[in-house]
Amino acid sequence: MMLTKAYVLLCMATSIFPAPVSTSKFYGAKPIDSVWEVTVDAPIECRIEHMIPNYGIATFTSHASKKSNLYFELEMLRPMGKTADVVLLSMPPVWMPGEPSEYLDRLHFFKQFDGYIHGKTAWSILAELEKGRFPTFSFHEWKNRDKRVDVALSAVSFQLPYTEFSGCISRLLPYSFEDIAFTTLHYQDSSANLNKSSMRKLSQIAEFIRYSPDIDLVFLATYTDTHGARSANQRMSEVRSRKLEEYFMSLGLPNDRIEVKSFGERRPIAENKSPIGRNKNRRVVISLGRSMS
């Protein structure tokens, strides 16, 4: 969508700190006050934050996942009082004379919510900061349509924290909580040991839990096939349950956050006449619960 000529000229004339005119309000950190800080650096989440004086906090976040992801949030001290369109511009700093402003996107910020952006536009904002430019959100003040509000992210002191943030993203686990929240693993025949592929999956679950203090429940349900006596199968199911319970406790989870059920040969999910069917029935179902922050 094209901006009006008058608006473009106004934007091009705006430097880091626009001249104080009655028709606009500007929020942005002065160079001496511009701070970017990596506040979370973990294999399941990376976060970098920037304080905008008298306005709020800008945050970029990326989470462990199979896919590359980036989320931006403009946390406002006073959230939008009215749902409104917001123009996203890339503004040149004063030390880039002659550089034009650039239109990036038109967004929609919702009443009483912080500004939230994800995907390509979030990556674009990060890229503009890396180039030393100032991504700026411009919109009409909801109380007074004659006044424009400009909220800028400062690129001053951005590079070193950005390098740290990028390093964190490169170390994120390649799977998310949703990928492991409900998992079925399988056992070797007549054994309390998982097969090789299930052991690898269990290691992934363990690695995620090590970095996730918000995991508040691990539910384990073990099952056997019908090969052998029913009582022996029940005992095997209980041995498997105890072994897994001890394993999750070794990760630091307290016993009251681990719930165990041993079903033996009850509740089969396949027929027990073939090796394939018996392998499906020799299983443990692991369900994870996560507290909402």
Side-chain angles (χ1 to χ4, degrees):
M1 185 177 292
M2 298 297 293
L3 298 176
T4 65
K5 182 178 179 180
Y7 188 80
V8 171
L9 291 174
L10 176 62
C11 292
M12 291 176 65
T14 306
S15 63
I16 302 180
F17 305 110
V21 295
S22 60
T23 57
S24 67
K25 289 183 179 179
F26 178 83
Y27 297 94
K30 297 179 180 179
I32 195 172
D33 298 323
S34 180
V35 175
W36 288 88
E37 181 182 7
V38 174
T39 55
V40 178
D41 185 344
I44 62 170
E45 182 180 348
C46 304
R47 185 184 305 158
I48 185 171
E49 297 183 355
H50 173 61
M51 178 68 71
I52 303 172
N54 302 314
Y55 192 82
I57 301 174
T59 304
F60 291 95
T61 307
S62 186
H63 298 107
S65 177
K66 293 178 180 177
K67 298 180 180 180
S68 175
N69 63 89
L70 185 68
Y71 304 90
F72 173 83
E73 186 172 8
L74 185 61
E75 183 180 340
M76 311 174 197
L77 295 175
R78 295 175 296 278
M80 301 285 283
K82 181 179 180 181
T83 298
D85 288 330
V86 177
V87 176
L88 175 60
L89 303 166
S90 175
M91 304 298 294
V94 290
W95 55 84
M96 292 183 180
E99 287 288 322
S101 63
E102 296 177 4
Y103 171 80
L104 296 180
D105 205 349
R106 184 176 292 275
L107 310 168
H108 212 52
F109 283 179
F110 293 91
K111 180 180 179 180
Q112 297 302 320
F113 285 91
D114 293 325
Y116 185 78
I117 304 168
H118 65 92
K120 183 179 178 180
T121 300
W123 287 109
S124 295
I125 297 173
L126 206 60
E128 293 304 305
L129 286 164
E130 186 180 11
K131 291 190 292 187
R133 295 176 65 90
F134 288 56
T136 301
F137 301 89
S138 186
F139 52 92
H140 289 288
E141 187 178 46
W142 66 276
K143 291 182 180 179
N144 187 350
R145 293 287 297 174
D146 293 332
K147 287 190 176 183
R148 195 182 74 255
V149 176
D150 295 320
V151 182
L153 310 184
S154 171
V156 176
S157 302
F158 173 74
Q159 291 300 328
L160 285 178
Y162 172 64
T163 299
E164 183 182 352
F165 180 66
S166 298
C168 177
I169 290 177
S170 72
R171 297 187 296 271
L172 285 171
L173 298 177
Y175 48 89
S176 65
F177 174 78
E178 288 72 21
D179 294 324
I180 61 171
F182 187 84
T183 307
T184 300
L185 307 180
H186 297 279
Y187 286 94
Q188 300 176 27
D189 190 10
S190 302
S191 171
N193 296 321
L194 294 166
N195 61 35
K196 290 183 179 180
S197 62
S198 291
M199 283 298 298
R200 288 192 294 270
K201 189 69 173 180
L202 181 63
S203 295
Q204 289 184 339
I205 295 172
E207 190 170 18
F208 200 97
I209 286 176
R210 285 190 184 99
Y211 298 103
S212 302
D214 56 352
I215 300 294
D216 60 3
L217 176 65
V218 175
F219 179 74
L220 307 169
T222 58
Y223 306 83
T224 69
D225 58 30
T226 58
H227 182 71
R230 180 183 292 268
S231 58
N233 288 334
Q234 181 62 36
R235 286 193 298 272
M236 175 61 75
S237 183
E238 293 168 0
V239 169
R240 290 170 175 170
S241 293
R242 283 196 300 272
K243 187 173 181 178
L244 280 173
E245 182 179 22
E246 292 170 358
Y247 176 77
F248 281 102
M249 289 179 64
S250 74
L251 301 178
L253 283 172
N255 181 259
D256 61 2
R257 289 163 63 184
I258 304 172
E259 187 174 342
V260 178
K261 295 290 184 180
S262 305
F263 291 98
E265 60 185 52
R266 291 174 289 164
R267 302 184 183 179
I269 58 173
E271 49 84 25
N272 281 284
K273 295 180 180 179
S274 69
I276 294 176
R278 290 194 294 273
N279 179 65
K280 290 181 179 180
N281 289 330
R282 292 193 307 272
R283 71 196 190 277
V284 56
V285 177
I286 303 176
S287 302
L288 305 182
R290 196 176 195 181
S291 60
M292 299 297 292
S293 56

